[in-house]
Amino acid sequence: MMNKAISILLAGTLACTSILAGCSSGQASSSAAPTSAGNSAAASADSSGKSYTFRFSEIQATTHPASQADAKFVDLVQEKSNGRIKIQVYYNAQLGDEKSGVQQVQYGGLDFTRASLGVLSGFDQKLNTLSLPYLFSSSDQMWNVLNGDIGKKFLDGISSSKMVGLCWYDAGSRNFYTKKPVTDLSGLKNMKIRVQESSLMMDMVKALGASPTPMDYGEVYSGLQNGVIDGAENNLPSYESTKHYEVAPNLLLDGHSRLPEMMLCSQKTWDSLSPSDQKIIQECAEEASKVERQLWADSEKSALDEVKSKGVKVTELSADELKKFQDAVQPLYEKYAKDNLDLIKQIQNTK
Ligand code: GTR
């Protein structure tokens, strides 16, 4: 992962470059700077014919399924716009960490990003409801919720934060991984566990008896290596692609949270597009979501095989032990969703 100071500097430099580009072509938007249409056949189709180069911030490495789906999205947009709409993805947090990526999208300094609900619920508190531990019992059930009215309502709700929620990405279920072996709930007691910057995730770790330490994703590897933290929690493709398993080789498959992710467009960028270009972006995002879901399923399996082959000790929980985890987090439902219990029921009743 890139050093934070360098990445902020780089983000600043790129923003300036982009602002200059915007100024020279006389456009109001800093990053949505139309240039002369490279392909006049495309321009004569059903759009205004403007060309754009947008920026997309992705904190994951290029091998991660989210990154691969971002790349698919970019290709589809380029293809459907006949090359007029180009999107450059900056992987590996080159444009800053996840939270600052969302902030930049919010004020229009960046055009697109992809973010976990763990981070997004800091922007739209309603998303805490969807982030509750053990809310979804399977990936299929989660997708039936996300692809239905409830998912649509939460995507649309992000517009109050000056962003357009384009589609959902799967992010599997999250599991604890630790330097020392942990095989049951009591083993987590007082362990320093890294969490995303999320009050719900902090409360969840506390409810399970451990001590939450919020930390940037890019600092988790060294945090584990130096012993600043005893463990962390994440889904399997992230555990594998970051190589956190090298420094925390004990994986506890407790599947505490399914935190889906959203692809976001800046409202400012969105408003600069014609309705037909908006349609292209929306349709390509939905297509990328389908691709991501499949990529995710494949990579969850291969990531588990990969970490096992690297010597990771994997613990599965008995039904009784799993119930202890589920019981311990119940107070979070009261704290984060007491006004939304009907919605919780509706989600839980979705097959
Ligand atoms: C990953 C997610 C990232 C980031 C990370 C984290 O699963 O894809 O966007 O939120 O978790 O824990 O910081």
Side-chain angles (χ1 to χ4, degrees):
M1 289 287 158
M2 184 172 298
N3 169 297
K4 208 170 184 177
I6 298 177
S7 73
I8 290 169
L9 200 66
L10 181 60
T13 314
L14 289 165
C16 294
T17 316
S18 160
I19 287 165
L20 289 176
C23 292
S24 60
S25 63
Q27 296 300 320
S29 164
S30 63
S31 49
T35 55
S36 62
N39 182 338
S40 52
S44 64
D46 59 346
S47 71
S48 65
K50 284 180 182 163
S51 294
Y52 302 87
T53 301
F54 292 129
R55 296 185 305 147
F56 188 132
S57 173
E58 174 55 77
I59 63 163
Q60 297 285 13
T62 49
T63 52
H64 191 277
S67 300
Q68 291 171 351
D70 300 342
K72 180 73 188 170
F73 167 67
V74 164
D75 286 350
L76 286 169
V77 171
Q78 172 134 356
E79 187 186 312
K80 286 209 183 169
S81 67
N82 289 317
R84 283 187 305 105
I85 309 180
K86 292 194 175 58
I87 305 173
Q88 167 92 44
V89 186
Y90 295 85
Y91 299 99
N92 283 316
Q94 286 174 71
L95 298 184
D97 64 21
E98 190 165 18
K99 185 176 169 193
S100 75
V102 176
Q103 284 167 336
Q104 292 178 68
V105 163
Q106 222 179 2
Y107 73 73
L110 240 177
D111 306 297
F112 296 93
T113 194
R114 186 251 350 130
S116 161
L117 284 204
V119 169
L120 274 181
S121 48
F123 292 79
D124 178 1
Q125 309 261 311
K126 292 192 290 299
L127 291 169
N128 276 320
T129 309
L130 275 192
S131 312
L132 282 162
Y134 299 110
L135 174 65
F136 300 110
S137 53
S138 69
S139 165
D140 285 348
Q141 183 211 19
M142 180 189 80
W143 275 108
N144 288 337
V145 170
L146 297 181
N147 284 336
D149 292 346
I150 299 176
K152 171 108 181 62
K153 203 178 96 196
F154 280 104
L155 271 185
D156 292 349
I158 202 82
S159 63
S160 60
S161 306
K162 298 201 176 69
M163 295 182 280
V164 179
L166 292 172
C167 70
W168 295 105
Y169 274 10
D170 203 334
S173 60
R174 296 175 76 101
N175 303 285
F176 289 105
Y177 46 89
T178 45
K179 288 169 75 75
K180 294 200 181 120
V182 171
T183 51
D184 58 13
L185 182 59
S186 66
L188 281 176
K189 200 160 173 51
N190 297 331
M191 286 222 155
K192 280 193 250 103
I193 302 289
R194 178 271 170 176
V195 288
Q196 293 159 302
E197 234 186 89
S198 147
S199 61
L200 182 140
M201 292 305 274
M202 288 186 67
D203 282 345
M204 184 199 70
V205 163
K206 272 190 222 154
L208 295 171
S211 165
T213 309
M215 184 183 278
D216 178 38
Y217 189 47
E219 283 159 18
V220 179
Y221 189 99
S222 59
L224 287 164
Q225 198 171 34
N226 304 334
V228 175
I229 45 176
D230 303 312
E233 51 81 52
N234 219 313
N235 49 49
L236 293 167
S238 298
Y239 178 51
E240 193 269 326
S241 62
T242 51
K243 299 207 185 316
H244 289 173
Y245 63 85
E246 292 177 349
V247 276
N250 299 284
L251 175 66
L252 183 67
L253 291 178
D254 65 303
H256 48 263
S257 309
R258 282 187 185 275
L259 295 181
E261 309 185 337
M262 261 189 212
M263 192 201 289
L264 298 155
C265 178
S266 167
Q267 186 71 55
K268 193 169 165 195
T269 302
W270 188 254
D271 292 344
S272 73
L273 293 168
S274 68
S276 58
D277 283 347
Q278 289 175 347
K279 190 159 172 272
I280 290 177
I281 300 278
Q282 182 61 53
E283 285 175 359
C284 295
E286 283 165 21
E287 197 50 43
S289 164
K290 288 188 199 136
V291 169
E292 195 271 350
R293 184 177 172 181
Q294 188 53 52
L295 284 171
W296 188 269
D298 298 343
S299 80
E300 225 174 18
K301 284 195 205 84
S302 58
L304 186 58
D305 291 344
E306 173 70 12
V307 299
K308 277 184 181 163
S309 79
K310 293 279 163 56
V312 166
K313 184 173 173 291
V314 181
T315 302
E316 293 193 37
L317 295 176
S318 66
D320 283 352
E321 192 58 31
L322 183 62
K323 176 127 191 348
K324 288 189 198 162
F325 279 73
Q326 292 169 336
D327 290 347
V329 299
Q330 278 316 301
L332 272 76
Y333 280 70
E334 177 61 25
K335 177 164 177 187
Y336 287 94
K338 65 175 181 309
D339 302 327
N340 260 331
L341 293 179
D342 283 350
L343 179 66
I344 297 282
K345 273 229 164 64
Q346 229 180 308
I347 293 173
Q348 286 169 337
N349 289 338
T350 303
K351 294 279 166 263

